[in-house]
Amino acid sequence: MAQDSVDLSCDYQFWMQKLSVWDQASTLETQQDTCLHLTQFQEFLRKMYETLKDMNSNTIFERFPTIDQLLAKACWNPFILAYDESQKILIWCLCCLINKEPQNSRQSKLNSWIQGILSHILSALRFDKEVALFTQGLGYAPVDYYPGLLKNMVLSLASELRENHLHGFNTQRQMTPERLASLSRVCVPLITLPDVDPLVEALLVCHGHEPQEILQPEFFEAVNEAILLKKISLPMSAVVCLWLRHLPSLEKAMLHLFEKLISSERNCLRRIECFIKDSSLPQAACHPAIFRVVDEMFRCALLESDGAPEIIATIQVFTQCFVEALGKENKQLRFALKTYFPYTSPSLAVVLLQDPQDVPREHWLQTLKHISELLREAVEDQTHGSRGDPLESWFLFVHFGGWAEMVAEQLLRSAAEPPAALLWLLAFYYSPHDGRQQRAQTMMVCRGTLQAW
């Protein structure tokens, strides 16, 4: 490792001198010399990036004080930019210099300078000397028109991608799968640049007809990371496409939510709701495929924690947010409830999806008895054969905590004999594993407690 560091330092000095010579004289000899060394210089850039990517900006400048000069000289050399993957690797190296959270004006100026260089790289190969002379004649300096060129290029590519998405890959200006893959790869170090948002969105939304995913996993990972850290803001449709196309990104979004909930010192229901809504997961879960993955992760957390009240509360708050998002997105459900809750009775899901507060008070007891009948039929009725694992019905009931609260309130308010249907619901909610006899005993204990109250 030490030898590699020494070698890189020696190479650095060698290429710094080379670039200075190439920069000072534009003769046939220097051009030939440049072309002769392009392969070796690209390999040097690759090694340099492998070193830079593990450092922060301050550490980079401590070790390589003139790194900005070296990269700038390379970026303004058309032979280097045009060679193989040098342009891409230069972009990677420049992005390593960016301060994610600039602390002073010097760091902010450095970020602006880097964005200008990136704009130049992306636009340099598309414009010849005549165009450069024309823009200069109009009184525009590179610093003025390069950002505009980047923005226009992004909008043009995004428009082309939308056309492909709408009309497929049979248009005259078809964008091949290879080009899509290449675009996603080039975008990775540019994800957090504001002007690149339309291109990122268009790439996520655009689907080809290939049997396998075209876009690079690194692209999905970089976009997801930027979304989770609030470094970019994309429309919900793009976020849904991201999580549908790349399952690890959805799983990471859920783990990110769990980490925030665990690391928070105080988690009242209101705070949990803020975390959940801020995650965009309830809105994205309006798509059944995303809901099923999220719900399965909640189920695993519930089982791993042995039914911890904190997990149950989180599931219930998430379900409230999900139902709210579902109501906003659809006046009429786009997907059948069976697609969200495939293992339970659709009629039970319909009843539970109601907000308990929307049910008139005089109908509370009747509705709760109906819920109890449906659950009991699913869990205990063997007339038509077992309908499945009782835990499936319990897990559905757990989602809608408002009904369990209503059961407890009705039992406490009952002056006469507590309704058996409500006692069954309460016993099932707290002890779903119990068999019929154990649950009957629990109901007797509950009845005796209430009568003695």
Side-chain angles (χ1 to χ4, degrees), residues 126 155-161 163-164 168-176 179:
R126 294 185 174 230
L155 293 176
S156 176
L157 286 168
S159 177
E160 190 176 349
L161 283 165
E163 183 180 343
N164 276 275
F169 289 90
N170 297 318
T171 58
Q172 291 182 348
R173 293 183 62 201
Q174 70 173 12
M175 187 173 287
T176 64
R179 190 177 176 206

Side-chain angles (χ1 to χ4, degrees), residues 147-285:
L149 292 177
L150 172 62
K151 186 174 182 179
N152 289 335
M153 284 173 58
V154 165
L155 293 176
S156 176
L157 286 168
S159 177
E160 190 176 349
L161 283 165
R162 281 192 291 270
E163 183 180 343
N164 276 275
H165 178 59
L166 291 173
H167 305 294
F169 289 90
N170 297 318
T171 58
Q172 291 182 348
R173 293 183 62 201
Q174 70 173 12
M175 187 173 287
T176 64
E178 292 76 20
R179 190 177 176 206
L180 278 171
S182 177
L183 262 179
S184 67
R185 192 181 298 111
V186 170
C187 277
V188 170
L190 308 176
I191 294 297
T192 56
L193 292 179
D195 288 340
V196 182
D197 283 358
L199 180 56
V200 172
E201 178 187 349
L203 280 168
L204 289 172
V205 173
C206 182
H207 291 273
H209 302 287
E210 301 298 313
Q212 295 182 334
E213 179 57 64
I214 298 170
L215 305 186
Q216 299 296 301
E218 296 84 357
F219 170 75
F220 290 125
E221 292 165 4
V223 174
N224 194 56
E225 186 75 11
I227 290 173
L228 296 182
L229 298 180
K230 304 299 180 185
K231 293 185 177 180
I232 61 171
S233 178
L234 295 176
M236 183 52 58
S237 57
V239 177
V240 169
C241 286
L242 166 66
W243 289 341
L244 284 175
R245 296 176 71 170
H246 193 245
L247 179 59
S249 289
L250 174 56
E251 292 173 338
K252 187 169 183 180
M254 274 296 290
L255 293 175
H256 185 73
L257 172 61
F258 283 140
E259 287 171 3
K260 289 180 71 173
L261 291 169
I262 292 170
S263 62
S264 179
E265 294 180 0
R266 181 175 56 86
N267 272 339
C268 60
L269 292 180
R270 181 61 184 165
R271 192 170 179 82
I272 292 173
E273 181 182 355
C274 290
F275 282 141
I276 289 174
K277 286 186 174 181
D278 190 54
S279 72
S280 297
L281 285 164
Q283 301 92 314

